[in-house]
Amino acid sequence: MSTIPTVTLNNGVRIPQLGFGVWQVPDDEAAAAVRTAIEAGYRSIDTAAIYENEVGTGQGIRQAGVAREELFVTTKLWNSGTADWTGQAGRDAVLSAFDDSLRKLGTDYVDLYLIHWPRPMHGSYANVWQAFEQLLADGRAKAIGVSNFGQEQLTRLFETSSVVPALNQVELHPHFPQHELRAFHAEHGIATEAWSPLGQGKELLAEPPLVAIAEKHGRTVAQVVLRWHLQSGVIAIPKSVTPSRIKENLDVAGFELDADDLAAIAATETGKRLGPDPQGFDWN
Ligand code: NAD
């Protein structure tokens, strides 16, 4: 029996609040990692076309032997084929990228499909979002959302569609807690999902205040950080390929961060990102 809480998205679909991310996991290692994660109790898996491990991810899902409908599978559009985001050609490119992801994953639907990066310099999202709406209407994506969008891009999307993204997946951890964006999401019924929730396992996990909180609760720093995400109402998708850490990252029930802990964690905020600033990020 899983004890992972769920978050209800704005279209009624429920997503586990803790999931398993597979960025930088090579395709030939993804099956083992995903299988280990599902066997450990994860029910949500986060991949993307650009991770080039959808094939391995799909194999891991099937090897784990858990019914497809008990799993929550997310993948993301790498929109390199839709440089100008316009016209039927742009929509067709989105639909064909989606078909490709389904084929690689070996499934006939995903639970969540995301626009991976906003690329604000390329203008309107109306076209690509129309293709997403079609996937939603067809039931091939149970929910649709975005990733790395800021308030400006979300507002631009609202201007051309009444289908509000179910979720925005953004860099978020105690060093970079995204207060303003989270408040904006709450106002508009958009769930917040944290990528690099553990700060990529770097400086964050060595922060002395976090080490002290971990000692106080008899937990690891990674568990404290993931507990912080859960208590913040954020969905987190930590990544690991180490079986013991995969299990450790799921074992975050049974303790509660108190007000002192939360204040000490808040004080570690640096305002610094680990990843690129989506406002200026493009790949063409
Ligand atoms: P993360 O914060 O999950 O950190 C992962 C790293 O932390 C591991 O590689 C390992 O080195 C370390 N680690 C994991 N568990 C640990 C533990 N218990 N103790 C000590 N160290 C531990 O970073 P991430 O992989 O960047 O992010 C998680 C997921 O978010 C990705 O796998 C991917 O699915 C998603 N993501 C999305 C985007 C996007 O643009 N949408 C960008 C980056 C990541």
Side-chain angles (χ1 to χ4, degrees):
M1 251 322 255
S2 166
T3 53
I4 307 168
T6 57
V7 167
T8 303
L9 301 174
N10 60 16
N11 67 344
V13 167
R14 282 160 52 151
I15 178 171
Q17 214 183 339
L18 256 185
F20 184 66
V22 295
W23 179 43
Q24 291 177 324
V25 180
D27 205 19
D28 59 357
E29 292 173 33
V34 167
R35 180 185 176 164
T36 302
I38 295 171
E39 286 174 352
Y42 291 81
R43 290 294 176 265
S44 165
I45 309 291
D46 181 86
T47 184
I50 195 65
Y51 300 170
E52 296 185 337
N53 58 16
E54 288 171 310
V55 171
T57 296
Q59 285 166 348
I61 287 171
R62 285 185 295 283
Q63 286 168 11
V66 168
R68 173 67 185 87
E69 59 272 19
E70 286 180 34
L71 298 173
F72 192 100
V73 179
T74 301
T75 194
K76 313 183 192 85
L77 170 74
W78 191 253
N79 39 312
S80 57
T82 57
D84 64 2
W85 300 85
T86 56
Q88 185 60 43
R91 284 196 293 280
D92 286 348
V94 173
L95 297 174
S96 122
F98 179 81
D99 285 344
D100 202 38
S101 284
L102 283 195
R103 188 179 49 74
K104 288 181 175 158
L105 284 162
T107 181
D108 52 10
Y109 70 94
V110 295
D111 296 277
L112 180 62
Y113 196 45
L114 303 178
I115 301 178
H116 204 147
W117 287 90
R119 305 166 78 218
M121 60 296 287
H122 292 290
S124 168
Y125 304 108
N127 200 48
V128 70
W129 198 242
Q130 273 172 26
F132 271 54
E133 286 180 31
Q134 187 177 326
L135 294 170
L136 184 67
D138 292 348
R140 298 208 297 153
K142 302 295 177 196
I144 53 175
V146 295
S147 179
N148 298 301
F149 273 45
Q151 293 186 34
E152 211 176 291
Q153 290 93 49
L154 287 167
T155 304
R156 204 194 284 171
L157 195 148
F158 297 158
E159 281 162 8
T160 60
S161 171
S162 58
V163 180
V164 175
L167 174 154
N168 188 12
Q169 183 186 112
V170 293
E171 177 174 352
L172 197 161
H173 41 74
H175 280 168
F176 194 70
Q178 299 262 28
H179 300 296
E180 279 178 34
L181 188 57
R182 269 155 69 190
F184 185 84
H185 287 167
E187 203 181 307
H188 294 278
I190 300 170
T192 303
E193 184 168 55
W195 62 253
S196 296
L198 298 173
Q200 297 178 358
K202 296 179 183 163
E203 288 83 356
L204 180 70
L205 298 188
E207 280 279 3
L210 298 186
V211 173
I213 295 167
E215 278 168 10
K216 171 176 148 187
H217 291 281
R219 297 288 182 148
T220 66
V221 177
Q223 289 173 324
V224 165
V225 171
L226 293 170
R227 185 76 222 162
W228 173 85
H229 284 284
L230 297 193
Q231 288 185 215
S232 307
V234 168
I235 301 153
I237 45 170
K239 172 246 168 185
S240 175
V241 288
T242 310
S244 60
R245 285 177 169 176
I246 290 175
K247 292 192 187 88
E248 174 188 327
N249 293 345
L250 196 65
D251 181 20
V252 294
F255 78 110
E256 194 82 16
L257 301 171
D258 61 31
D260 289 344
D261 299 334
L262 295 173
I265 295 170
T268 68
E269 176 174 353
T270 61
K272 289 206 182 89
R273 298 176 185 273
L274 294 165
D277 184 342
Q279 293 303 317
F281 185 62
D282 196 11
W283 55 82
N284 284 335

